[in-house]
């Protein structure tokens, strides 16, 4: 790993830890797990951004990836991943593959990752990028993520990386009892609330609002 990348990663990790501390009053999470920090060190974010943004790859900021879409802000990626409480056995569904960065991070921490992207060009790009990088446990499909991935369900965790008007019921149905869902949901004002849902034994979803966030919209209908 070259010196520039190493320095960039360390600065980013310091920033992430500070952001966790500063938002703990709202999120209830004072720090990310050490395993998550180590996973962030291993995923080369500079390979998921456009050539033009290479110098910004380790900044704690969302960046454009074309097609009107973005690679999310590292703090939000880290927070959402932390909320999923993954183990090496977890089966995870992601809606909104985008660049594939979040999928790679999930691939570092979980057993199997299924990720759906509605823009076919982005799906193809992320898929070949992840393949090249050796993420054999990450499966990418082009399509409407609102329908989930029924053949691979049930999942231990579902993460939606685009904002929905409400929680899509199909995605809840594909969660096992005890499973976790993390999704930005429109507040009615500008922006969204990041919502954590835990599915109960009765099939219902217990939710809590974690933090205000800003995401691109989840497109399409069920
Ligand atoms: N997780 C991504 C960032 C995602 S940006 C990363 O790490 O880079 C949100 C993505 O969701 C965009 O790529 C957008 O095209 C996709 N998206 C929006 N609506 C969708 C839908 N209904 N199904 C699947 N993907 C969708």
């Amino acid at each position: 790993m070259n010196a520039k990348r190493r320095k960039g990663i360390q600065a980013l990790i310091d920033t992430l830890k500070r952001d966790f501390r500063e938002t703990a009053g709202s999120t209830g999470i004072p720090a990310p797990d050490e395993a998550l920090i180590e996973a962030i060190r291993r995923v080369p974010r500079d390979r998921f951004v456009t050539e033009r943004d290479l110098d910004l790859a380790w900044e704690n900021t969302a960046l454009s990836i074309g097609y009107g879409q973005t690679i999310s802000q590292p703090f939000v990626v880290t927070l959402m991943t932390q909320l999923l409480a993954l183990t090496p056995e977890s089966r995870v569904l992601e809606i909104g593959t985008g660049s594939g960065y979040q999928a790679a991070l999930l691939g570092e921490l979980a057993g199997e990752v299924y990720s759906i992207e509605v823009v076919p060009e982005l799906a193809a790009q992320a898929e070949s990028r992840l393949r090249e990088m050796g993420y054999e446990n990450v499966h990418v499909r082009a399509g409407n993520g609102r329908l989930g991935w029924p053949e691979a369900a049930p999942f231990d965790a579902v993460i939606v990386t685009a904002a929905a008007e409400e929680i899509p019921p199909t995605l809840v149905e594909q969660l096992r009892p005890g499973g976790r869902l993390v999704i930005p949901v429109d507040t009615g004002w500008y922006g969204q609330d990041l919502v954590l849902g835990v599915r109960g034994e009765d099939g219902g979803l217990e939710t809590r609002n974690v933090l205000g966030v800003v995401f691109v919209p989840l497109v399409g209908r069920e």
Side-chain angles (χ1 to χ4, degrees), residues 24-217:
S26 177
T27 65
I29 305 170
D33 290 345
E34 206 42 49
L36 175 50
I37 293 288
E38 288 312 310
I40 287 166
R41 276 189 213 283
R42 288 195 296 273
V43 183
R45 192 168 186 260
D46 49 2
R47 291 186 58 184
F48 293 84
V49 303
T50 60
E51 194 76 36
R52 195 196 54 213
D53 284 338
L54 264 186
D55 284 346
L56 301 174
W58 302 107
E59 296 295 319
N60 186 24
T61 175
L63 296 167
S64 169
I65 55 170
Y67 307 93
Q69 305 305 331
T70 56
I71 175 173
S72 307
Q73 185 196 11
F75 168 64
V76 175
V77 170
T78 309
L79 177 61
M80 291 175 89
T81 308
Q82 174 74 34
L83 290 166
L84 295 176
L86 301 173
T87 73
E89 286 77 43
S90 298
R91 297 170 58 79
V92 188
L93 173 66
E94 180 192 25
I95 311 303
T97 316
S99 68
Y101 176 77
Q102 170 80 73
L105 189 63
L106 297 171
E108 292 278 349
L109 294 161
E112 297 293 329
V113 179
Y114 298 82
S115 185
I116 309 175
E117 169 55 51
V118 76
V119 178
E121 291 85 353
L122 287 176
Q125 216 175 75
E127 151 106 90
S128 67
R129 184 180 276 154
L130 291 162
R131 210 49 60 251
E132 236 170 67
M133 297 173 72
Y135 286 103
E136 282 171 19
N137 62 340
V138 181
H139 316 281
V140 178
R141 172 193 273 187
N144 179 4
R146 288 178 187 268
L147 307 175
W149 195 313
E151 314 89 275
F155 299 99
D156 301 293
V158 176
I159 172 171
V160 183
T161 65
E165 322 70 62
E166 51 191 42
I167 297 174
T170 307
L171 298 183
V172 179
E173 280 157 26
Q174 292 183 19
L175 206 54
R176 71 158 170 82
R180 289 169 163 246
L181 168 74
V182 176
I183 180 171
V185 180
D186 292 341
T187 54
W189 300 88
Y190 178 71
Q192 307 99 27
D193 273 332
L194 189 62
V195 175
L196 168 66
V198 181
R199 196 171 196 205
E201 295 296 329
D202 62 357
L205 196 72
E206 180 111 357
T207 63
R208 96 171 153 92
N209 292 0
V210 176
L211 194 69
V213 288
V214 180
F215 272 84
V216 296

